């Protein structure tokens, strides 16, 4: 169990949710602020359009913003769409707007829209012009949206560093809270690991005594049935010893206190030796065991631990390969690393179990006929841990033509 990985995942989840909320809040603030600016501008344009209409129809001389700034522009159209009067900035602001003109004539009410001008977007107010109670034309008053866009951009530039700072604080706070959340799990895991290590170590001594006593007893037995019973006791003792050794190794891997050497060794030699050791077992089961490895292939790591990995992979392959099948062990150098590949012609790994094959105490009962293939379910988990302890890795997949393929990767020697 990698508690640091869990801690980081919790932190990333917290920061991700906080980022989403912050993004939504920022978008809401920016669009809300932008909308408010546009509404305020619309009110200003309506007032300016009314003042300009009075200046034209009633001969007033009210001062309008378009007389002082190139951001504003206006145009007065009669009911036929001909220009009655205008200022000099109408073209750059997209005036006249034919769509707004028709909409104002049809509804005889104020219409507002954003139009595309020569110098960018502009906000346009189109309102009917009345003289003596009769609609005589349309007044369109516009202002460039450049100032609004600049103001919104300034707001974004203010919110962006604030948001990044908030994310940084959220990451620190999330890491702290995730650490507190996994602390009880870490403590429980440490107690479990210590118990497994202590129990495995303490049980070794009485188990050894049981074996020694059984061997002494067996030497004095004459009845074949009694000797057979003693053989069974010795076999179960050996099996128990292997389980305890595996548990002790697993506990030391979890605690990062397992002694792992870092030195060059011949991977091809180890493969051939382990294959020779499993040859008798393969022959008894009717499985062909083949080795395809170069004369020498130097790897860097611990030869004893690598031998343990190969033994676990061969044991697993023979368990799941039916009589008449074959197991192949090959080696090669690939992408700057050396690889030992163990493949078999068994039934393969069910896809739904492929991601769990290296979990401790996991047992895939995929043998033909659904028979129980034995094992404790920690051999492959230990093998992967030993591979990573040597800065390598262990991967599993199904072959295209059936069977499972395990690939051990180690640094080059």
């Amino acid at each position: 169990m990698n508690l640091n990985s869990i801690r980081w995942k919790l932190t990333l989840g917290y920061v991700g949710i906080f980022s989403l909320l912050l993004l939504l809040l920022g978008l809401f603030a920016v669009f809300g602020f932008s909308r408010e600016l546009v509404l305020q501008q619309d009110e200003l344009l309506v007032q300016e359009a009314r003042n300009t209409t009075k200046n034209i129809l009633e001969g007033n001389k009210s001062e309008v913003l378009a007389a002082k700034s190139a951001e504003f522009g206006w145009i007065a159209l009669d009911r036929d769409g001909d220009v009655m009067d205008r200022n000099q900035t109408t073209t750059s602001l997209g005036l006249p707007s034919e769509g707004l003109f028709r909409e104002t004539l049809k509804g005889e009410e104020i219409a507002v829209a954003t139009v595309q001008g020569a110098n960018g977007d502009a906000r346009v107010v189109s309102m009917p012009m009345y003289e003596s109670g009769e609609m005589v034309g349309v007044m369109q008053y516009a202002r460039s949206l450049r100032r609004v866009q600049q103001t919104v951009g300034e707001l974004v530039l203010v919110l962006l560093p604030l948001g990044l700072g908030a994310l940084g604080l959220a990451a620190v706070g999330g890491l702290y809270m995730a650490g507190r959340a996994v602390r009880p799990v870490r403590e429980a895991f440490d107690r479990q690991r210590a118990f497994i290590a202590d129990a495995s170590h303490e049980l070794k001594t009485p188990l050894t005594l049981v074996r020694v006593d059984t061997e002494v007893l067996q030497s004095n037995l004459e009845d074949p049935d009694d000797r057979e019973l003693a053989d069974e006791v010795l076999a179960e003792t050996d099996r128990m010893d292997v389980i305890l050794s595996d548990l002790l190794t697993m506990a030391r891997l979890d605690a990062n206190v397992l002694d792992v050497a870092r030195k060059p060794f011949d991977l091809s030699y180890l493969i051939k030796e382990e294959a020779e050791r499993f040859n008798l077992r393969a022959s008894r089961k009717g499985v062909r065991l083949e080795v395809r490895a170069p004369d020498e292939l130097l790897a860097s790591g611990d030869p004893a631990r690598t031998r343990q990995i190969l033994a676990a992979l061969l044991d697993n392959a023979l368990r799941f390969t039916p009589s008449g099948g074959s197991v192949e062990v090959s080696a090669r150098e690939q992408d700057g690393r050396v690889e030992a590949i163990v493949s078999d012609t068994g039934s393969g790994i069910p896809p739904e179990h492929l991601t769990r094959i290296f979990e401790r105490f996991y047992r895939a009962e995929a043998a033909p006929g659904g028979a129980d293939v034995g094992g404790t379910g920690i051999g492959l988990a230990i093998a992967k841990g030993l591979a990573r302890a040597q800065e390598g890795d262990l991967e599993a997949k199904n072959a295209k033509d059936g069977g499972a393929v395990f690939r051990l990767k180690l640094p080059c020697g």
Side-chain angles (χ1 to χ4, degrees):
M1 182 185 296
N2 193 336
L3 294 180
N4 286 329
S5 175
I6 295 176
R7 183 185 181 188
W8 280 107
K9 287 179 181 179
L10 287 174
T11 302
L12 290 177
Y14 172 77
V15 172
I17 294 174
F18 185 78
S19 301
L20 180 60
L21 293 176
L22 199 62
L23 177 62
L24 293 176
L25 181 61
L27 291 175
F28 179 78
V30 169
F31 283 110
F33 180 70
S34 176
R35 178 62 178 168
E36 184 63 26
L37 287 179
V38 171
L39 290 177
Q40 291 179 5
Q41 181 163 281
D42 290 348
E43 294 178 1
L44 176 63
L45 292 177
V46 169
Q47 184 61 43
E48 290 297 307
R50 287 171 178 166
N51 292 337
T52 306
T53 298
K54 289 181 180 180
N55 289 345
I56 294 175
L57 297 180
E58 300 176 11
N60 290 352
K61 297 183 179 180
S62 301
E63 187 175 353
V64 293
L65 294 175
K68 295 183 178 181
S69 174
E71 293 183 19
F72 294 87
W74 61 269
I75 187 170
L77 307 170
D78 61 21
R79 293 181 65 91
D80 295 328
D82 297 326
V83 178
M84 297 170 57
D85 201 354
R86 65 193 301 173
N87 77 335
Q88 297 179 351
T89 58
T90 53
T91 303
S92 63
L93 296 175
L95 297 178
S97 172
E98 295 183 5
L100 285 176
F101 174 75
R102 290 192 297 270
E103 185 178 346
T104 305
L105 281 182
K106 182 179 179 180
E108 295 189 1
E109 57 184 16
I110 297 176
V112 185
T114 299
V115 301
Q116 180 68 41
N119 296 331
D121 292 340
R123 193 70 173 172
V124 178
V125 166
S126 181
M127 61 184 300
M129 300 171 62
Y130 290 100
E131 187 175 21
S132 302
E134 182 181 353
M135 182 177 176
V136 296
V138 174
M139 168 62 67
Q140 292 187 348
Y141 211 100
R143 182 186 183 185
S144 171
L145 285 175
R146 184 178 302 173
R147 184 67 60 85
V148 172
Q149 293 167 350
Q150 289 177 349
T151 304
V152 173
E154 291 172 357
L155 175 63
V156 172
L157 291 178
V158 172
L159 292 178
L160 189 60
L162 290 177
L164 293 176
L167 284 179
L169 292 175
V172 174
L175 194 61
Y176 172 75
M177 295 304 297
R180 289 180 60 89
V182 301
R183 187 179 300 168
V185 180
R186 185 186 299 276
E187 292 174 353
F189 182 66
D190 288 342
R191 289 194 297 268
Q192 177 190 4
R193 183 179 60 205
F195 169 77
I196 292 175
D198 293 343
S200 300
H201 180 73
E202 293 298 328
L203 287 173
K204 283 277 189 177
T205 300
L207 197 63
T208 302
L209 293 176
V210 170
R211 179 175 182 81
V212 171
D213 291 344
T214 304
E215 289 176 344
V216 172
L217 179 63
Q218 186 184 42
S219 63
N220 296 319
L221 293 176
E222 297 181 358
D223 191 313
D225 293 336
D226 292 339
R227 293 183 65 86
E228 183 179 352
L229 181 59
D231 288 339
E232 291 179 0
V233 172
L234 289 175
E236 290 302 316
T237 303
D238 290 340
R239 180 173 177 271
M240 195 69 174
D241 185 66
V242 171
I243 294 174
L244 291 176
S245 296
D246 286 345
L247 289 174
L248 190 58
T249 301
M250 186 173 62
R252 288 173 176 170
L253 278 171
D254 290 336
N256 294 320
V257 296
L258 186 69
D259 292 331
V260 179
R262 295 283 193 279
K263 61 181 181 180
F265 66 92
D266 187 358
L267 181 61
S268 292
Y269 176 76
L270 288 186
I271 289 175
K272 293 170 184 176
E273 270 204 340
E274 284 304 302
E276 182 66 27
R277 195 164 67 88
F278 278 84
N279 239 332
L280 180 59
R281 176 178 165 187
S283 298
R284 288 176 176 174
K285 192 176 181 181
V287 174
R288 186 174 67 259
L289 180 57
E290 300 178 349
V291 176
R292 300 181 185 275
D295 293 335
E296 185 180 59
L297 185 61
L298 292 180
S300 176
D302 191 320
R305 300 302 181 186
T306 303
R307 189 188 298 274
Q308 191 174 349
I309 297 172
L310 293 172
L313 297 181
L314 287 169
D315 175 76
N316 182 78
L318 290 175
R319 286 179 186 274
F320 288 90
T321 303
S323 178
S326 65
V327 174
E328 181 183 289
V329 189
S330 59
R332 65 180 181 178
E333 184 175 346
Q334 181 81 10
D335 299 329
R337 298 168 78 85
V338 294
E339 296 183 354
I341 305 167
V342 179
S343 57
D344 61 60
T345 58
S347 56
I349 306 169
E352 64 272 18
H353 299 314
L354 191 58
T355 57
R356 301 182 55 199
I357 198 67
F358 293 112
E359 292 181 9
R360 59 189 61 183
F361 304 112
Y362 171 79
R363 298 172 65 193
E365 296 182 356
D372 187 0
V373 295
T376 59
I378 60 176
L380 291 178
I382 291 174
K384 190 174 184 70
L386 292 175
R388 289 182 171 177
Q390 298 179 78
E391 299 181 358
D393 200 6
L394 181 61
E395 301 172 349
K397 67 177 184 179
N398 286 314
K400 293 181 179 179
D401 52 352
V405 178
F406 288 84
R407 181 175 281 107
L408 169 63
K409 299 180 180 181
L410 293 174
C412 288

